[in-house]
Amino acid sequence: MTPHDLALSPRDRSDSRTGSGARNRMICMFIVLIAFGMRVYRLGEVPLGGDEGFIYSLASRDYPGLLVEIIRLGEPQPAASFVLEKAWLDLGGRSEFNLRMLNVSFGVVAVALAYALGLKLTRSRAAAIVAAILVATNPFGLDHSREYRTYAILACLALACLAALLAYARTPSKITFLGLVVCEWAVIQAHYVAGFLVAALSLAVLAWWLAARIPSLRPGMPRPPNLGGWVLAQMVVAALTLPWLILASGTATTYGGTGSGKL
């Protein structure tokens, strides 16, 4: 099943199998391929620089040494992001090309997610195509997809959180609940700043739930997520995140940037 199909309700999926639906899926695939090509073009020819070299150095340690060093330096990114990058290096090799392919992969998936979300939120295939093009060609997104940092991962997982929220609101189940928890936990592991995203989504869910209680606004409004289930999901995410936050509790007060002399 494609991102296009996931964005549609069961009633609309039959329409997606028409010639128009197939044509738009082909357009989405073409945009994804263009995004991939833009991101891999001469990917391995640019030397590592700045933060890339710092992450490469950390990811060259063994796993216990990596965790210890992150805590010692007060690195302002969660350990899971470094563990993922180290596992990627161990799996595919330590060339400049492979270093950056992890972010390329997330950057390309973000394009497909933008299409699916645009289709779900607007019910307009034209709007979905425009959303995919904007994400595919955005200069910041393109640059972040071509560097050995977690910003492309962060952007992709932020879109995944919104998709998971909409899926849970549409079809509350153990699977969609688990998807919501995993996406929120994962985006926080990409960067601590994602905690603000999760907080913003929580406020949006509360506003959505309250608006659905107003009779004049209720007609035509999509059903909001189950509020109790949403609160439970946030509690699970917090419980999964808390152990590392305790270990790295000194980061907020000790991190002074790469110019602090700690290296």
Side-chain angles (χ1 to χ4, degrees):
M1 184 172 290
T2 66
H4 171 271
D5 295 322
L6 291 173
L8 294 175
S9 65
R11 183 184 64 184
D12 294 330
R13 284 177 188 161
S14 59
D15 296 337
S16 74
R17 298 188 181 96
T18 64
S20 176
R23 181 173 63 253
N24 283 283
R25 286 197 299 274
M26 290 298 295
I27 293 174
C28 176
M29 183 62 65
F30 178 73
I31 296 171
V32 167
L33 290 174
I34 291 297
F36 178 76
M38 294 173 67
R39 284 156 174 77
V40 299
Y41 177 68
R42 302 182 67 179
L43 185 65
E45 297 182 16
V46 181
L48 294 181
D51 289 341
E52 289 186 309
F54 171 69
I55 295 180
Y56 177 80
S57 176
L58 283 178
S60 298
R61 302 170 183 269
D62 58 22
Y63 287 101
L66 170 63
L67 298 178
V68 169
E69 194 67 6
I70 289 173
I71 294 174
R72 185 185 74 82
L73 294 173
E75 170 59 29
Q77 285 184 223
S81 62
F82 291 98
V83 170
L84 175 62
E85 288 163 331
K86 173 176 172 52
W88 182 270
L89 289 183
D90 293 344
L91 180 66
R94 298 180 178 273
S95 67
E96 283 84 351
F97 184 88
N98 185 60
L99 289 179
R100 297 170 177 136
M101 271 303 297
L102 178 63
N103 283 300
V104 167
S105 302
F106 277 92
V108 171
V109 171
V111 176
L113 283 172
Y115 178 87
L117 285 170
L119 191 60
K120 175 63 180 177
L121 294 172
T122 68
R123 299 288 181 179
S124 166
R125 291 186 176 90
I129 289 171
V130 170
I133 292 173
L134 290 175
V135 174
T137 60
N138 180 274
F140 290 104
L142 185 58
D143 286 345
H144 290 324
S145 295
R146 290 173 54 85
E147 66 178 6
Y148 189 47
R149 293 291 282 172
T150 61
Y151 302 122
I153 300 175
L154 174 66
C156 179
L157 291 177
L159 291 173
C161 283
L162 181 54
L165 168 60
L166 296 177
Y168 180 66
R170 183 178 67 246
T171 311
S173 67
K174 292 180 180 179
I175 296 298
T176 55
F177 178 87
L178 179 62
L180 181 62
V181 168
V182 169
C183 287
E184 288 194 358
W185 176 83
V187 76
I188 293 173
Q189 298 310 306
H191 204 292
Y192 289 122
V193 73
F196 293 104
L197 167 69
V198 174
L201 285 178
S202 297
L203 292 176
V205 168
L206 180 59
W208 188 359
W209 186 83
L210 291 174
R213 293 320 186 253
I214 301 175
S216 60
L217 298 178
R218 191 177 303 162
M221 177 180 292
R223 182 179 61 184
N226 175 275
L227 192 60
W230 174 264
V231 171
L232 178 60
Q234 307 318 298
M235 293 174 63
V236 173
V237 172
L240 292 173
T241 308
L242 187 60
W244 174 254
L245 292 181
I246 294 174
L247 285 174
S249 59
T251 297
T253 56
T254 61
Y255 182 71
T258 56
S260 64
K262 291 184 179 182
L263 294 179

